Amino acid sequence: MSATAESTMSPATADLYKDYVVPNYGRYPVCLVRGEGSWVWDDRGNKYLDYFPGWGCNLLGHCPPAVVEAVQQQVATLIHVPNSWHTEAQGLWAKMLSERSFGGKAFFCNSGTEANEAAIKLVRLHTPEDRYKIITFTGGFHGRTLGATSATAQPKYHQGLGPLVPGFSYAPFGDLDAVRELIDDETAGIMVEPIQGEGGVRLAPEGFLQGLREIADEHGLLLVFDEVQAGCGRTGDWFAYQTMGVTPDVITLAKSLCGGVAGGAMLTTAEIAPSLRPGMHAATFGGNPLAARAGIATIETIEREGLLERAKQIGKRFEQRLAPLVDELPHVKEFRHCGVMIGIELLVEGAPVVAECMKRGLLINCTQGTVIRLLPAMNLSDAECDEGCEILIEVLRNLAS
Ligand SMILES: *Cc1c(COP(=O)(O)O)cnc(C)c1O
């Protein structure tokens, strides 16, 4: 089914990258050409089962038919118009998101980092002018623009970039006392991932988000949930805040929002929304007709096919298959999951596991060095779950010998 990764790629494409593409990514020597559901093919005809489709963007798998059709129709009708005009699609999309969240309003952009920049500006604009500080959390990840990088409490992402944007202070994830200690007269908001993704699939500890909600209310702070990775159905609810049972003032979305098409959004309440007043923020491509139609088709597909429930079921199936490894294998430390957001923490480096799985035709991810991360499609079949888990289990067992 699959040859080793090294032998699969066309040398001509490799040369194009070597000569003309900025080398800021580590890339596998594989050139992907086609995808369908949870399967992708490379330029040598090798087929892979993809448990990390689109880095979490393809929650419906590759090329979901309803999204393909919506975009095909739209692209031939009207590709892009800026936000100086109205389109029906953007308005409808905002309504659909509002009805499935806390009934507020949407600002549209194109990525997660942009959604967080909008949230950072909104926090500063909504609170009195002398308040600008935002508390974020160790192990969090909020994106790569300078504001979002400054909000990301991981020193490895700051190296050589200073001075960072002022006003961010960091508390340990889960530590409410540390948050209280950081608050002063200039604090305006708290920004947190309800489930840390890049940080290793870490769920907020019991009571932590509720505690943040209380602290925010007590001090007049805005509470922002970065749901760029955990939102839009991945947890088995529309939004992670619903799964966790705590409602924020602002949520940020991207990754799977448009079924694999680029798109981002920030949702906030109708009361807070006017603080992002005309002239203070914009995104030229934000909420464009292609993204809007893809976003609508994504929501419709999830509902038509009952996929929120399916995300919970398939997550449980992964748990049944993989959680027993914690007792069986000394180098498997912990299994964590929420819906189809899955982490397996190892006591050894995860990179060899990723490489070996790829050789055997299974695509997975490793984050923070030792956490195997799976963000499978919510419409994965039972058979596809079993097939990939078998490969992963065998690779993890072989590590022991
Ligand atoms: C991926 C991610 C981002 C950044 O999103 P981009 O679309 O790459 O800008 C921000 N926050 C979280 C939680 C993410 O997982």
Side-chain angles (χ1 to χ4, degrees):
M1 181 169 81
S2 22
T4 59
E6 280 71 23
S7 70
T8 62
M9 189 173 169
S10 127
T13 303
D15 284 345
L16 289 174
Y17 274 75
K18 188 158 100 14
D19 292 343
Y20 300 112
V21 179
V22 172
N24 62 311
Y25 299 102
R27 293 179 200 268
Y28 301 113
V30 175
C31 180
L32 298 176
V33 292
R34 182 168 76 83
E36 191 182 322
S38 286
W39 299 89
V40 279
W41 286 259
D42 69 21
D43 64 354
R44 298 299 160 93
N46 296 309
K47 180 185 176 186
Y48 304 86
L49 177 55
D50 195 352
Y51 277 5
F52 204 65
W55 207 275
C57 298
N58 302 344
L59 184 54
L60 298 176
H62 293 274
C63 299
V67 174
V68 170
E69 194 186 331
V71 171
Q72 279 176 340
Q73 275 179 9
Q74 187 61 47
V75 79
T77 311
L78 188 66
I79 294 179
H80 178 64
V81 289
N83 281 294
S84 43
W85 307 96
H86 294 79
T87 62
E88 187 187 28
Q90 186 181 132
L92 265 178
W93 189 23
K95 176 169 186 269
M96 292 172 82
L97 290 168
S98 176
E99 287 171 349
R100 283 155 188 78
S101 58
F102 43 67
K105 300 190 173 185
F107 164 81
F108 291 108
C109 51
N110 311 288
S111 66
T113 202
E114 280 180 272
N116 286 329
E117 292 294 333
I120 292 164
K121 280 195 187 176
L122 178 67
V123 166
R124 288 191 178 198
L125 286 167
H126 186 70
T127 48
E129 213 160 310
D130 54 351
R131 291 209 200 179
Y132 67 100
K133 294 181 182 167
I134 298 177
I135 297 168
T136 65
F137 296 90
T138 52
F141 182 83
H142 300 296
R144 299 297 199 153
T145 50
L146 203 51
T149 295
S150 306
T152 295
Q154 297 195 55
K156 67 180 179 191
Y157 293 133
H158 298 165
Q159 276 169 21
L161 289 179
L164 298 177
V165 175
F168 291 96
S169 54
Y170 311 136
F173 188 56
D175 189 341
L176 291 170
D177 289 334
V179 173
R180 283 193 198 92
E181 252 163 57
L182 285 172
I183 290 175
D184 62 25
D185 293 344
E186 295 174 328
T187 307
I190 299 171
M191 182 151 109
V192 64
E193 286 168 90
I195 304 168
Q196 290 187 338
E198 192 271 352
V201 189
R202 295 182 192 280
L203 284 76
E206 190 68 35
F208 178 54
L209 298 174
Q210 184 59 39
L212 292 180
R213 179 71 272 176
E214 285 159 18
I215 291 171
D217 290 343
E218 189 182 324
H219 294 271
L221 316 177
L222 287 192
L223 180 60
V224 179
F225 281 4
D226 178 344
E227 296 204 16
V228 168
Q229 190 163 145
C232 301
R234 187 163 291 284
T235 62
D237 295 295
W238 277 116
F239 301 102
Y241 83 84
Q242 295 159 340
T243 311
M244 307 301 268
V246 176
T247 305
D249 303 300
V250 180
I251 56 181
T252 56
L253 306 169
K255 290 208 168 83
S256 66
L257 178 66
C258 302
V261 173
M266 176 192 72
L267 309 183
T268 190
T269 67
E271 294 71 41
I272 297 168
S275 292
L276 204 64
R277 53 189 194 270
M280 292 313 292
H281 198 54
T284 299
F285 275 119
N288 68 78
L290 294 185
R293 290 292 303 276
I296 291 169
T298 298
I299 293 172
E300 287 173 347
T301 301
I302 290 171
E303 277 174 359
R304 192 175 54 246
E305 300 182 4
L307 294 178
L308 292 178
E309 192 48 42
R310 180 66 193 157
K312 288 184 188 155
Q313 280 171 5
I314 203 75
K316 281 216 183 74
R317 197 173 181 93
F318 273 102
E319 184 180 33
Q320 284 161 1
R321 296 286 177 287
L322 301 176
L325 293 175
V326 177
D327 289 329
E328 184 197 326
L329 299 173
H331 53 278
V332 177
K333 183 178 172 206
E334 193 171 53
F335 175 88
R336 299 185 284 268
H337 90 112
C338 188
V340 282
M341 191 163 179
I342 297 159
I344 306 154
E345 185 164 355
L346 307 178
L347 290 166
V348 295
E349 286 295 307
V353 178
V354 176
E356 186 57 30
C357 282
M358 191 188 302
K359 272 192 202 162
R360 296 171 185 230
L362 176 70
L363 304 184
I364 61 170
N365 172 258
C366 173
T367 187
Q368 301 292 324
T370 57
V371 181
I372 299 298
R373 178 171 45 159
L374 314 178
L375 296 173
M378 67 202 307
N379 54 10
L380 195 77
S381 71
D382 287 350
E384 288 164 341
C385 176
D386 295 348
E387 183 175 341
C389 283
E390 242 165 68
I391 296 172
L392 181 55
I393 289 167
E394 198 177 299
V395 169
L396 286 170
R397 280 189 183 139
N398 285 348
L399 268 192
S401 49

